[in-house]
Amino acid sequence: MSTPTLDKHSAALDAAENTAFEQITITLRVRRFNPEVSDEVTWVDYQLEMDPKERVLDALHKVKWEIDGSLTFRRSCAHGICGSDAMRINGRNRLACKTLLKDINPEKPITVEPIKGMTVLKDLVVDMDPFFQAFRDVMPFLITKGNEPTRERLQSAEDRARFDDTTKCILCAACTSSCPVFWNDGQYFGPAAIVNAHRFIFDSRDEGAEQRLEVLNDKEGVWRCRTTFNCTDACPRGIEVTKAIQEVKRALITRRF
Amino acid sequence: MPAGTLYRGREGMWSWVAHRVTGVLIFFFLFVHVLDTSLVRVSPQAYDNVVATYKNPIVNLMEYGLVAAILFHALNGLRVIAVDFWSKGPKYQRQMLWSVVGIWIVLMAGAFYPVLDHTLRTLFGS
């Protein structure tokens, strides 16, 4: 007796398995820099056998684990939450852990560079201290006056929705390092700091909005924004960054928030 | 291989670049314009001499370029104002940019003959 059902099933399974383990050759072109060896920047091509459904981070891992252990980059959670692996992939800021190879044309060499506008320490690792200093400068914590209430600080759903978008920030610096103003003027607070100020300025429970607005009213504050929308395009969390910056600008003019 | 590659920004970044470039071009025009106009105070003859050197097809083409720069800078300036002051501005910035480009093309087509009329007649006969 033949078993057409079983044959058919296994054929379908084979097909599924073949697509599941599709392998293609990609070229990963990485900008390498090691100040302990040379002051010169070099571009190194790595030929890798990868599944197009894998991520750029997997390709970097493959290089580090199997080809050259000296390749240096940051990553922690590897699932788009910690914000460690923002880098410039094919010319745009993205998280390596959220970028699938098939989405960025794996037929051509994939260029990977550190994010722009910050000092490169080694390979893809940059000095993030100025970035976090700008974040601290906007006082990203609840500021209140008067006595502490004996119960929770309640907030309506509408009040919570007012700043919902800017709560999503993971501080990956993809926005700040995509900003042409920031590249030319490292003193600029940058989109990420303004987004995190926005998160508290428009929080009905917070009473420190005046202080934060004063910080951002600086010459290097929100007024440096030239609305290039690079930050909005780069944000891996889909935050409407430019919109948030515009809202802070308007809050400074109208003093309504 | 260069030290770094160009950032591949989208419409927003390139509109900003174009805004800067047209702004600088307009500044240079104004600079020259203030200088040659102030020559009237030196002597009307000197002014006439300088303006006479402008009467050639190349300067006429630059005038058309000036129209292009001013039109883009003005229209995109309105877009930037809308992004700044209209609450839905950031959401529709891309559509507004394509509107700016569309209006710019129409106005440039409209300005083609009025601006280049004289040069076209001189170069391609009466």
Side-chain angles (χ1 to χ4, degrees):
Chain A
M1 285 289 282
S2 64
T3 53
T5 325
L6 197 69
D7 286 343
K8 215 176 179 180
H9 177 72
S10 68
L13 206 67
D14 283 349
E17 275 182 348
N18 284 339
T19 53
F21 294 102
E22 186 188 348
Q23 293 278 303
I24 56 161
T25 307
I26 62 154
T27 305
L28 197 69
R29 186 166 287 169
V30 187
R31 187 182 193 269
R32 302 290 309 263
F33 170 69
N34 185 349
E36 288 170 6
V37 174
S38 161
D39 290 337
E40 295 288 305
V41 164
T42 51
W43 286 84
V44 183
D45 283 8
Y46 299 97
Q47 305 282 336
L48 304 166
E49 289 292 316
M50 301 288 298
D51 186 325
K53 290 188 289 298
E54 286 184 289
R55 308 159 301 169
V56 173
L57 182 66
D58 298 316
L60 288 168
H61 276 153
K62 197 162 187 154
V63 172
K64 186 170 177 70
W65 293 339
E66 294 171 21
I67 300 171
D68 183 351
S70 71
L71 178 69
T72 310
F73 55 92
R74 284 195 182 105
R75 77 99 173 80
S76 295
C77 77
H79 291 83
I81 290 299
C82 72
S84 301
D85 64 349
M87 49 190 75
R88 203 140 61 96
I89 299 164
N90 279 359
R92 282 193 188 133
N93 283 359
R94 311 166 207 250
L95 295 184
C97 58
K98 281 185 86 172
T99 309
L100 300 187
L101 295 171
K102 68 184 176 68
D103 293 337
I104 50 166
N105 189 11
E107 268 119 58
K108 284 198 188 152
I110 296 165
T111 62
V112 181
E113 304 158 74
I115 47 178
K116 226 168 135 89
M118 297 179 200
T119 312
V120 179
L121 301 177
K122 188 179 178 185
D123 292 344
L124 303 173
V125 174
V126 298
D127 179 11
M128 296 280 278
D129 285 351
F131 173 79
F132 286 120
Q133 189 54 51
F135 171 61
R136 287 188 193 98
D137 287 345
V138 301
M139 298 174 284
F141 41 79
L142 190 78
I143 299 175
T144 57
K145 301 185 189 97
N147 295 328
E148 217 167 284
T150 50
R151 45 178 301 209
E152 306 94 314
R153 298 172 198 273
L154 291 179
Q155 185 170 48
S156 71
E158 295 78 53
D159 283 346
R160 176 61 178 73
R162 179 66 191 86
F163 61 92
D164 185 64
D165 200 35
T166 44
T167 61
K168 299 175 197 160
C169 179
I170 54 173
L171 293 168
C172 66
C175 59
T176 296
S177 61
S178 75
C179 177
V181 178
F182 181 79
W183 301 334
N184 295 313
D185 174 13
Q187 295 299 307
Y188 172 43
F189 273 88
I194 301 171
V195 159
N196 284 282
H198 178 284
R199 183 250 170 273
F200 286 99
I201 290 168
F202 292 95
D203 187 336
S204 61
R205 298 164 296 188
D206 184 81
E207 292 167 88
E210 292 285 351
Q211 295 173 51
R212 280 187 258 273
L213 285 173
E214 254 352 282
V215 172
L216 292 175
N217 201 9
D218 189 80
K219 185 162 76 63
E220 304 291 354
V222 283
W223 308 114
R224 298 284 289 162
C225 171
R226 293 289 180 275
T227 63
T228 71
F229 288 92
N230 274 9
C231 50
T232 308
D233 293 334
C235 181
R237 307 282 294 162
I239 300 172
E240 291 176 272
V241 184
T242 313
K243 189 176 173 223
I245 299 174
Q246 299 316 90
E247 285 175 358
V248 174
K249 279 184 188 170
R250 278 203 294 278
L252 266 167
I253 297 169
T254 61
R255 294 283 162 178
R256 267 185 303 170
F257 37 83
Chain B
M1 268 291 193
T5 61
L6 194 66
Y7 192 86
R8 279 179 51 207
R10 298 190 57 181
E11 297 93 328
M13 181 172 112
W14 294 113
S15 74
W16 168 76
V17 170
H19 202 76
R20 272 283 157 96
V21 169
T22 54
V24 169
L25 289 176
I26 294 165
F27 168 78
F28 282 130
F29 160 73
L30 286 174
F31 186 74
V32 173
H33 184 58
V34 166
L35 280 183
D36 60 28
T37 309
S38 62
L39 275 178
V40 171
R41 304 279 295 157
V42 179
S43 86
Q45 184 58 43
Y47 175 83
D48 284 348
N49 288 342
V50 169
V51 170
T53 64
Y54 295 166
K55 289 174 182 170
N56 63 63
I58 293 166
V59 176
N60 196 195
L61 202 65
M62 284 163 71
E63 281 176 329
Y64 193 56
L66 181 67
V67 172
I70 288 177
L71 277 180
F72 179 82
H73 202 78
L75 293 168
N76 192 52
L78 294 175
R79 169 179 163 268
V80 172
I81 292 171
V83 167
D84 270 328
F85 289 102
W86 178 36
S87 59
K88 291 196 179 112
K91 193 177 163 193
Y92 294 113
Q93 59 100 0
R94 221 159 258 157
Q95 289 90 328
M96 287 196 290
L97 177 65
W98 294 122
S99 311
V100 162
V101 171
I103 297 168
W104 181 84
I105 289 170
V106 169
L107 291 176
M108 283 305 285
F112 182 77
Y113 194 69
V115 174
L116 294 169
D117 178 22
H118 188 76
T119 295
L120 291 173
R121 277 172 198 282
T122 339
L123 285 184
F124 303 108
S126 50

